[in-house]
Amino acid sequence: MFNADELKKLFLDDIEVVKNDLQLSEFWKKYLGKTGKVQGLMNGIKDVAKEEKKAYGQFVNEVKVWAQNLYDEKKAGIEKAMLEARYEKETVDVTVPVKSRPVGNLHPLTSVKYEMMNVFSGMGFEVFEGPEIEDDDHNFTRLNVLKDHPSRDMQDTFWLTDDLLLRTHTSPGQIRVMDAKKPPIKVLVPGKVFRSDSDATHSPMFSQMEGLVVDKHITLCDLQGMLDEFVKNMFSDAAKTRLRPSYFPFTEPSVEVDVSCFKCGGCGCSLCKGTGWIEVLGGGVVNKKVLENCGIDSNEYSGLAFGIGIERIAMLKYGINHMGKLFENDVEFLKQFKA
Ligand code: PHE
């Protein structure tokens, strides 16, 4: 009665050549869309004799389901092929050598500072930072460096006003910590300090690491114990310290601390100038007057303090003979410290 074969053949021929999604959507329009051939067949129902309408309807429906199935199959096939093509295109060849990007490295002063902080934080120290512009009170007076005291001349100060100055050491950090915190105290104060001084081993700006411990029964032995641990970690397991009497107004007794020469092991060489020892820092037992200046009862508490020159440690560790090298920012020089 109705011959679908012709239409099906046309349909099959057309779908055969569909290769991509654009052609697929054109195909949809032509056969299955609102104005497509299947809809055309549907519309034809009005010209069909009444008694044949039912059979005609069934026939058109069959054609429609058949066509839709074929279309769906084709669509799935094309989508799969497109996905595969995409995977193929996006395949990464993990054996292709990477383009390396030049990366920088930490400045030796920064890495030495971090290393020092790391060693001391292993002993329970916290880190505190104070201002670079200080007043006379914190930098000198409350540290027991009294006005007109000759020890003020030990440090050539850059004065900004009658009262303000660039801090000459990190020791004012001790005062700031003791003002802010009651014992037990165990802090490090790293930072830049300034003195009017310049030669191969001095620079007008350099860095120090202050250490302060205040608690009950703190003695000079604790200082030596901590510093022994510090030099072992920084230089070598065999490194030892030696304390020599010295003078600082804010510590009593005061010591100069030497480390056994890690180059010659103590026999004497050019680094230690034949003595077997290298001076690395100053320290001592916190002067009772300094504790009292910060409202800490010196009968109950005692403290130790030390100040380490970070450049000095870096120069010793890396065999740098001129301090200026650490401030010139010569990239070729700095590249040597790449880990
Ligand atoms: N502030 C001293 C200096 O700069 C070092 C020091 C710190 C000494 C702490 C004793 C205690 O020379």
Side-chain angles (χ1 to χ4, degrees):
M1 164 177 64
F2 311 110
N3 191 353
D5 289 351
E6 221 168 283
L7 180 63
K8 284 185 177 174
K9 186 172 178 310
L10 202 62
F11 187 104
L12 287 170
D13 287 348
D14 269 5
I15 204 154
E16 180 74 34
V17 296
V18 169
K19 293 280 179 269
N20 56 39
D21 51 352
L22 195 73
Q23 291 168 346
L24 189 70
S25 72
E26 263 156 24
F27 179 87
W28 166 270
K29 252 197 245 157
K30 183 167 171 191
Y31 289 95
L32 292 156
K34 269 192 206 131
T35 53
K37 289 198 185 304
V38 173
Q39 189 58 42
L41 275 182
M42 292 260 204
N43 297 345
I45 201 163
K46 61 182 190 301
D47 306 322
V48 173
K50 212 174 170 194
E51 57 282 11
E52 285 176 354
K53 276 198 198 303
K54 191 176 166 204
Y56 184 81
Q58 272 172 359
F59 154 73
V60 175
N61 253 336
E62 245 173 63
V63 172
K64 192 179 171 190
V65 169
W66 175 85
Q68 182 69 47
N69 282 343
L70 272 178
Y71 170 84
D72 288 348
E73 257 173 50
K74 188 75 184 183
K75 185 167 183 242
I78 284 178
E79 276 169 2
K80 190 165 167 249
M82 276 168 58
L83 206 61
E84 271 164 11
R86 207 180 114 192
Y87 286 158
E88 182 71 23
K89 215 167 95 191
E90 290 179 0
T91 302
V92 175
D93 180 355
V94 290
T95 65
V96 171
V98 284
K99 273 193 204 142
S100 66
R101 255 184 234 193
V103 283
N105 54 279
L106 290 181
H107 191 282
L109 276 181
T110 308
S111 45
V112 165
K113 179 172 91 175
Y114 286 171
E115 207 179 319
M116 291 167 69
M117 282 162 60
N118 203 16
V119 172
F120 282 113
S121 58
M123 296 182 226
F125 280 78
E126 303 173 78
V127 175
F128 168 87
E129 282 179 283
E132 289 174 5
I133 294 177
E134 270 294 2
D135 53 28
D136 182 290
D137 219 37
H138 287 86
N139 195 83
F140 291 127
T141 311
R142 288 173 74 199
L143 282 164
N144 197 37
V145 188
L146 301 175
K147 289 226 162 51
D148 305 322
H149 191 284
S151 68
R152 284 206 179 198
D153 302 335
M154 280 163 67
Q155 301 176 350
D156 298 306
T157 310
F158 288 114
W159 287 94
L160 303 176
T161 66
D162 277 350
D163 186 47
L164 294 177
L165 48 90
L166 296 179
R167 65 176 172 197
T168 57
H169 51 179
T170 42
S171 300
Q174 292 187 32
I175 304 293
R176 293 192 178 271
V177 168
M178 287 190 278
D179 277 349
K181 205 170 141 61
K182 292 301 140 212
I185 290 171
K186 208 171 186 185
V187 289
L188 286 180
V189 187
K192 292 194 177 81
V193 300
F194 307 85
R195 292 181 202 176
S196 174
D197 207 350
S198 185
D199 61 33
T201 53
H202 295 90
S203 145
M205 188 272 299
F206 61 103
S207 344
Q208 286 188 334
M209 177 91 70
E210 191 85 7
L212 174 72
V213 179
V214 183
D215 204 345
K216 291 178 178 158
H217 317 300
I218 296 292
T219 70
L220 202 59
C221 285
D222 297 302
L223 176 69
Q224 183 153 28
M226 284 175 189
L227 296 177
D228 265 334
E229 184 66 21
F230 167 69
V231 298
K232 279 190 182 25
N233 277 284
M234 284 307 283
F235 298 113
S236 96
D237 273 346
K240 289 193 296 259
T241 59
R242 173 178 85 168
L243 307 188
R244 276 182 295 112
S246 183
Y247 173 75
F248 299 104
F250 30 93
T251 45
E252 180 58 37
S254 300
V255 291
E256 211 78 67
V257 182
D258 297 340
V259 58
S260 54
C261 181
F262 39 85
K263 195 172 165 196
C264 63
C267 318
C269 67
S270 59
L271 184 65
C272 59
K273 300 193 184 79
T275 64
W277 295 94
I278 301 167
E279 185 189 321
V280 284
L281 61 106
V285 171
V286 179
N287 192 318
K288 281 176 182 261
K289 285 191 193 144
V290 175
L291 294 179
E292 298 294 342
N293 286 343
C294 299
I296 294 175
D297 183 351
S298 62
N299 292 317
E300 195 181 354
Y301 292 103
S302 56
L304 62 85
F306 54 85
I308 312 177
I310 301 181
E311 285 78 4
R312 178 146 179 83
I313 301 290
M315 288 168 79
L316 289 171
K317 206 175 152 77
Y318 297 121
I320 300 167
N321 56 9
H322 201 292
M323 203 181 209
K325 289 249 180 295
L326 290 169
F327 303 113
E328 279 163 7
N329 288 334
D330 171 352
V331 176
E332 287 309 311
F333 169 76
L334 295 175
K335 266 188 195 164
Q336 300 176 82
F337 301 93
K338 208 164 195 159

